[in-house]
Amino acid sequence: MDATPPPRGDLLGRTVLVTGANAGIGYWCAEQLSTRGARVLLGCRSPERARTAVTAIRSQVPSADLRVLSLDLGSLDSVARAAAEVDEKLDAVIGNAGVKAADRSARTSDGFDLMVGTNFLGHFALVAQLEPLLSPDARVVAVGSIAHRFAHLDPDTLDDPWSGPSLRQYGRSKASLMAFAFELARRWSGSSRSAVCAHPGYAVDPLTPPRAGLAPVSGVVRALAAPTRVLVQGKDGGALPIVHAATAADVAGGDYWGPGGLLEFRGAPARVAASDEVRSADIGSALWSAAESITGVRFPA
């Protein structure tokens, strides 16, 4: 059964940064947060796509309080500039942006593996440099993936060349981001700040409500996909556990949220299980040190 939606306006006065907010799960996080009155900073690499997202959100929430932040998580220079441009208190940071598939030779502008560099190292550097702007009760939400369960983490080989399917490396990059969030939760233990993880389940475009300029899907494809709703969900549904993790009163540091249905593919937000590896304090600490060494960004949380 779906959860009762939170009331409109309950997030007035709160500011949330969402990375990758111009499409997919990130867009729907931004729209849902705006519906509830939050001020949303849209961290986007493409100015054109950011403008499209702003127009789409305001078509649903005319009073939406939005700000576009130019951000390319595959560039440490861009991350540093974006962090320097933020001049306001942040109540939550949702680390959503990511590369889902890439050739093994693909690299970031800094020479890192594209998926690890964008999905994990970019977010690590961003949160580290935003830390002084986080409110006393701020939350950091790492958007993970079911694919983390199939990943093996070795902090000593974090940025080494990889082999095998791209999905495995994607899972490794998401597992790294999750391990970082769980380590941040341990380091913030005893404070009012919290770090958590969340995942969207199995979310697809044909089951997602249409928005102008975003992932157009034909009526025929939507009709053919409709029966799959018993197993999977739209990206609006996929955003719900992530927004819940960023805003709900029943969330605690170190939580992992996802859809509560069969196989965690769809359903109302619920606490779900993360692998022992991403929760390992030894791996989390070693991964943190590796990220600082590789990026040159210190994060004395």
Side-chain angles (χ1 to χ4, degrees):
M1 182 180 295
D2 294 335
T4 301
R8 286 177 175 259
D10 67 316
L11 297 179
L12 283 169
R14 308 289 283 181
T15 301
V16 183
L17 168 59
V18 182
T19 70
N22 57 273
I25 299 296
Y27 169 83
W28 285 97
C29 287
E31 182 180 306
Q32 290 169 15
L33 290 163
S34 295
T35 298
R36 294 169 57 188
R39 172 169 168 78
V40 182
L41 277 57
L42 290 77
C44 304
R45 184 176 60 179
S46 165
E48 180 181 359
R49 291 179 181 177
R51 288 193 293 270
T52 298
V54 167
T55 299
I57 292 172
R58 288 193 170 138
S59 73
Q60 306 297 313
V61 190
S63 61
D65 187 359
L66 306 172
R67 174 185 174 186
V68 173
L69 185 68
S70 179
L71 173 63
D72 178 0
L73 287 158
S75 164
L76 291 177
D77 285 344
S78 175
V79 169
R81 286 194 300 271
E85 288 175 9
V86 178
D87 55 1
E88 56 190 297
K89 173 179 66 70
L90 296 176
D91 298 293
V93 176
I94 297 177
N96 160 79
V99 176
K100 294 183 179 178
D103 185 89
R104 66 195 61 176
S105 64
R107 315 298 289 180
T108 70
S109 63
D110 301 291
F112 308 140
D113 171 75
L114 184 62
M115 284 190 280
V116 168
T118 302
N119 301 358
F120 167 48
L121 295 174
H123 281 114
F124 176 89
L126 178 66
V127 176
Q129 292 171 90
L130 289 174
E131 194 274 340
L133 295 168
L134 299 180
S135 65
D137 62 346
R139 286 185 195 169
V140 169
V141 181
V143 177
S145 169
I146 294 172
H148 90 275
R149 299 171 184 167
F150 315 112
H152 171 65
L153 289 179
D154 181 354
D156 292 334
T157 62
L158 180 63
D159 193 43
D160 285 5
W162 52 276
S163 60
S166 178
L167 179 60
R168 182 183 300 166
Q169 181 68 354
Y170 172 72
R172 187 169 176 246
S173 70
K174 283 296 191 177
S176 298
L177 179 63
M178 292 173 64
F180 156 59
F182 290 134
E183 176 64 14
L184 182 58
R186 286 187 288 270
R187 296 188 183 210
W188 277 349
S189 178
S191 80
S192 54
R193 288 179 176 173
S194 56
V196 301
C197 294
H199 79 84
Y202 200 136
V204 299
D205 286 322
L207 299 180
T208 306
R211 294 291 183 267
L214 302 178
V217 179
S218 71
V220 171
V221 172
R222 288 186 182 278
L224 291 173
T228 68
R229 193 175 288 278
V230 297
L231 296 174
V232 300
Q233 61 189 352
K235 293 188 175 179
D236 55 324
L240 293 175
I242 298 160
V243 172
H244 185 95
T247 63
D250 62 347
V251 175
D255 275 0
Y256 182 34
W257 288 80
L262 181 66
L263 301 176
E264 299 172 23
F265 281 3
R266 70 177 304 275
R271 286 186 180 85
V272 294
S275 72
D276 291 341
E277 195 164 14
V278 297
R279 286 197 175 276
S280 165
D282 289 340
I283 289 177
S285 179
L287 194 71
W288 189 290
S289 296
E292 287 189 325
S293 177
I294 292 170
T295 63
V297 176
R298 292 281 296 163
F299 192 166

